């Protein structure tokens, strides 16, 4: 920790020397880089998390200029507030390079360009300008000093001639930064470019396919329904409303965004929504399929199930895509249609976009159970989203396909595994087709 502080302090000193050298101005080490400066004290204090954020936000020169013009007051969140108590998703948002301006605004909001020590602390709630565009309110509450909505836990913790550092209990988040984060969560900032594939060959004629004709809203898919089904259809899907339904059109991209919005507002499915938001190719592919008239059923694992995935499982190349594709069924199914099917036929195998794997469904405990191995998932939140083209069904586990060898053995020996758990386990090196390949398969075979 001490070495980290020394490195940050040395980095601050060197940055000022370099800035003066590039500008051609004479360097006055006594004025610009005073070892008693409050900035040097911050870099060498126990507020190491805040000091690292200042360095990552490239604010050292800005703060040095502020100190040279007037005294400053820094409200420094304690390390625990930034390291363990801060929302991990919000912290990832701040550290993304494209959100550098939001990080700078947040840090400058903690600095007042005037000296406000314990003796200058206002008796009543007062408004003070900060180095950001948004002010901060200082107040007293039952002998407790407040900076915004954070308690000042260490008054005058660092006292220097050019500034003061107060320790506070939590991070102060300006409204503009919170709004930027909310816009990211609500998908307003998403813009995906549709992939342009290579020329396609029709497997039936071995000739290049002609561009697909424009499909009018409410029209059936270009390919017949039997081309959309995989070999050995398990069960006819639930009927989907046509052009006379509530939406009157097939706008795949809007419908994909709608169901992701619904997952966020429903609650408990933030991890699934986050993967879909970040995997823009997958979201675009789903929107393209729905726009062409195909339908999809998404088996969405809840946050409790997703939390049991390890970092290695998610960081393995292609792992998030494999997981998502195995949870997308190219049929329109509702909770009622799936339950009636498993009640009538016992065990149903639904095709998935993770070709050639299928997901098994059967009746159990008055609900629908997915998976045919030792670990399974139950239909937990039925019909989260149903618009006639996309159906979202919440499940309480993450599903993974068995290896091909296991599937062949079960088919030949007619062995049925006894379920023991409701949770899935990732199998390494499972086959995976890219989104473009899957789209070509869906176009050549179709979808329901």
């Amino acid at each position: 920790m001490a070495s980290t502080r020394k490195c940050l302090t040395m980095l601050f000193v060197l940055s000022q020397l370099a800035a003066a050298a590039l500008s051609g101005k004479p360097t006055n080490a006594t004025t610009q880089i005073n070892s008693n400066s409050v900035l040097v004290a911050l870099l060498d204090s126990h507020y190491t998390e805040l000091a690292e954020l200042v360095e990552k936000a490239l604010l050292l020169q800005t703060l040095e200029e502020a100190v040279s013009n007037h005294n400053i007051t820094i409200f420094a969140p304690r390390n625990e507030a930034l390291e363990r108590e801060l929302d991990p998703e919000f912290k990832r948002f701040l550290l993304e390079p494209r959100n550098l301006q939001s990080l700078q605004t947040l840090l400058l909001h903690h600095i007042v360009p005037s000296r406000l020590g314990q003796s200058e602390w206002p008796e009543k709630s007062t408004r003070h300008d900060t180095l950001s565009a948004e002010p901060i309110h200082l107040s007293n509450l039952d002998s407790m000093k407040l900076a915004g909505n954070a308690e000042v836990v260490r008054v005058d913790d660092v006292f220097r001639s050019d500034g003061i550092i107060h320790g506070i209990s939590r991070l102060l988040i300006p409204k503009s930064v919170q709004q930027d984060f909310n816009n990211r969560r609500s998908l307003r900032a998403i813009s995906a470019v549709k992939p342009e594939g290579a020329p396609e060959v029709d497997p039936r004629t071995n000739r290049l396919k002609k561009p697909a004709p424009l499909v009018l809203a409410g029209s059936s898919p270009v390919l017949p329904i039997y081309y959309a089904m995989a070999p050995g259809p398990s069960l006819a899907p639930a009927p989907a409303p046509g052009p006379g339904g509530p939406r009157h059109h097939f706008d795949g991209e809007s419908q994909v965004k709608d169901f992701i919005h619904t997952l966020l507002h429903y609650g408990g499915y933030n991890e699934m929504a986050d993967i879909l938001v970040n995997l823009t190719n997958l979201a675009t592919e789903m929107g393209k399929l729905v726009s062409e008239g195909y339908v999809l059923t998404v088996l969405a694992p809840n946050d409790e199930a997703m939390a049991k995935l390890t970092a290695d499982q998610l960081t393995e190349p292609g792992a998030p895509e494999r997981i998502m594709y195995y949870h997308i069924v190219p049929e329109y199914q509702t909770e009622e249609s799936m339950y009636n099917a498993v009640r009538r036929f016992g065990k149903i195998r639904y095709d998935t976009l993770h070709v050639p794997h299928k997901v098994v469904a059967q009746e159990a405990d008055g609900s629908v159970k997915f998976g045919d191995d030792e670990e399974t998932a139950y239909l937990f939140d039925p019909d989260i989203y149903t618009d006639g083209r996309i159906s979202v069904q919440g499940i309480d586990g993450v599903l993974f396909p068995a290896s091909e060898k296991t599937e062949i053995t079960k088919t030949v020996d007619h062995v049925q595994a006894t379920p023991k758990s409701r949770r899935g386990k990732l199998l390494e090196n499972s086959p995976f087709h890219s989104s473009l390949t899957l789209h070509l398969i869906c176009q050549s075979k179709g979808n329901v």
Side-chain angles (χ1 to χ4, degrees):
M1 188 66 69
S3 60
T4 302
R5 296 176 183 174
K6 290 180 180 178
C7 290
L8 289 173
T9 304
M10 184 59 67
L11 178 62
F12 169 71
V13 173
L14 292 176
S15 66
Q16 305 312 312
L17 291 172
L22 292 175
S23 63
K25 297 180 181 180
T27 303
N28 188 339
T30 305
T31 302
Q32 294 189 2
I33 311 174
N34 190 341
S35 60
N36 292 323
S37 172
V38 69
L39 294 183
V40 177
L42 173 65
L43 297 176
D44 199 34
S45 68
H46 54 266
Y47 300 105
T48 54
E49 291 293 324
L50 178 64
E52 290 181 7
L53 286 180
V54 170
E55 189 269 331
K56 290 179 181 178
L58 309 178
L59 287 177
L60 291 176
Q61 184 175 356
T62 302
L63 297 183
E64 193 275 338
E65 293 174 356
V67 170
S68 65
N69 294 329
H70 38 62
N71 271 218
I72 65 172
T73 302
I74 302 176
F75 296 96
R78 55 196 179 91
N79 282 346
E80 292 78 4
L82 297 177
E83 191 174 20
R84 292 191 292 270
E85 299 175 7
L86 188 63
D87 180 10
E89 188 172 359
F90 182 70
K91 190 171 184 179
R92 286 197 301 269
F93 165 80
L94 292 176
L95 296 180
E96 290 180 359
R98 63 176 176 176
N99 300 322
L100 177 61
Q101 185 175 358
S102 295
L103 177 60
Q104 291 177 341
T105 301
L106 179 138
L107 294 175
L108 294 177
H109 185 65
H110 291 73
I111 303 175
V112 175
S114 60
R115 190 180 188 86
L116 295 171
Q118 183 173 7
S119 58
E120 294 90 8
W121 198 273
E123 295 293 336
K124 299 180 180 180
S125 177
T126 56
R127 176 180 177 272
H128 295 268
D129 293 332
T130 65
L131 294 184
S132 70
E134 299 183 35
I136 187 175
H137 290 81
L138 304 182
S139 58
N140 282 296
L141 179 62
D142 297 333
S143 70
M144 177 192 304
K145 290 180 172 55
L146 296 177
N149 60 353
E151 178 186 357
V152 180
V153 294
R154 300 173 72 101
V155 182
D156 292 349
D157 190 21
V158 177
F159 198 92
R160 294 292 186 271
S161 59
D162 58 354
I164 300 174
I165 299 178
H166 300 299
I168 58 177
S169 61
R170 56 185 299 180
L171 187 70
L172 302 176
I173 303 177
K175 291 182 179 180
S176 60
V177 176
Q178 184 66 54
Q179 186 62 43
D180 291 342
F181 177 65
N182 292 341
N183 289 342
R184 167 72 183 279
R185 289 290 304 177
S186 63
L187 311 181
R188 294 177 188 174
I190 286 184
S191 59
V193 179
K194 291 185 177 181
E196 297 293 337
E200 303 175 32
V201 177
D202 191 332
R204 295 167 293 179
T205 62
N206 292 323
R207 296 180 179 178
L208 291 177
K209 285 185 177 181
K210 296 181 179 180
L214 179 64
V215 179
L216 300 177
S219 301
S220 300
V222 177
L223 296 176
I225 189 172
Y226 47 83
Y227 279 104
M229 298 293 292
S234 55
L235 184 71
R247 296 186 177 275
H248 306 283
H249 62 87
F250 299 146
D251 185 356
E253 293 184 21
S254 296
Q255 288 172 262
V256 168
K257 287 188 177 182
D258 285 346
F259 97 76
I260 297 177
H261 270 294
T262 304
L263 281 179
L264 294 174
H265 290 301
Y266 189 91
Y269 293 88
N270 293 334
E271 295 295 331
M272 176 77 171
D274 185 62
I275 291 179
L276 290 172
V277 167
N278 290 310
L279 294 177
T280 55
N281 288 340
L282 174 57
T284 302
E285 192 69 13
M286 293 173 64
K288 188 173 183 180
L289 290 173
V290 174
S291 295
E292 292 178 356
Y294 299 111
V295 292
L296 301 171
T297 297
V298 181
L299 305 178
N302 57 23
D303 288 346
E304 181 183 354
M306 297 292 289
K308 296 192 176 182
L309 294 175
T310 64
D312 292 339
Q313 291 173 329
L314 289 175
T315 56
E316 180 186 359
E321 293 90 343
R322 287 198 298 270
I323 294 173
M324 292 301 101
Y325 276 122
Y326 190 63
H327 288 76
I328 300 176
V329 176
E331 301 178 5
Y332 185 82
Q333 294 287 350
T334 63
E335 185 267 344
E336 182 180 5
S337 67
M338 287 190 292
Y339 183 73
N340 290 339
V342 296
R343 282 288 302 271
R344 181 179 179 185
F345 297 96
K347 183 179 292 188
I348 304 296
R349 291 182 179 271
Y350 292 109
D351 300 314
T352 69
L353 293 189
H354 190 351
V355 180
H357 298 290
K358 299 185 178 184
V359 61
V360 177
Q362 54 189 316
E363 192 273 341
D365 302 328
S367 181
V368 180
K369 181 178 69 174
F370 299 95
D372 196 25
D373 207 342
E374 294 184 351
E375 302 185 7
T376 56
Y378 285 71
L379 183 57
F380 193 71
D381 289 316
D383 297 340
I384 294 177
Y385 179 90
T386 52
D387 67 354
R389 311 305 302 175
I390 300 176
S391 170
V392 181
Q393 307 294 326
I395 59 177
D396 66 347
V398 180
L399 300 171
F400 296 95
S403 63
E404 294 182 2
K405 180 179 180 180
T406 305
E407 288 184 347
I408 294 174
T409 303
K410 290 183 179 180
T411 303
V412 174
D413 299 337
H414 303 284
V415 176
Q416 295 184 355
T418 303
K420 295 182 180 179
S421 171
R422 295 187 180 186
R423 296 294 177 265
K425 181 173 62 176
L426 183 65
L427 294 177
E428 297 181 354
N429 301 322
S430 68
F432 168 69
H433 291 72
S434 66
S435 60
L436 179 59
T437 304
L438 291 174
H439 176 59
L440 297 179
I441 292 174
C442 289
Q443 279 197 325
S444 63
K445 291 187 176 181
N447 203 327
V448 176

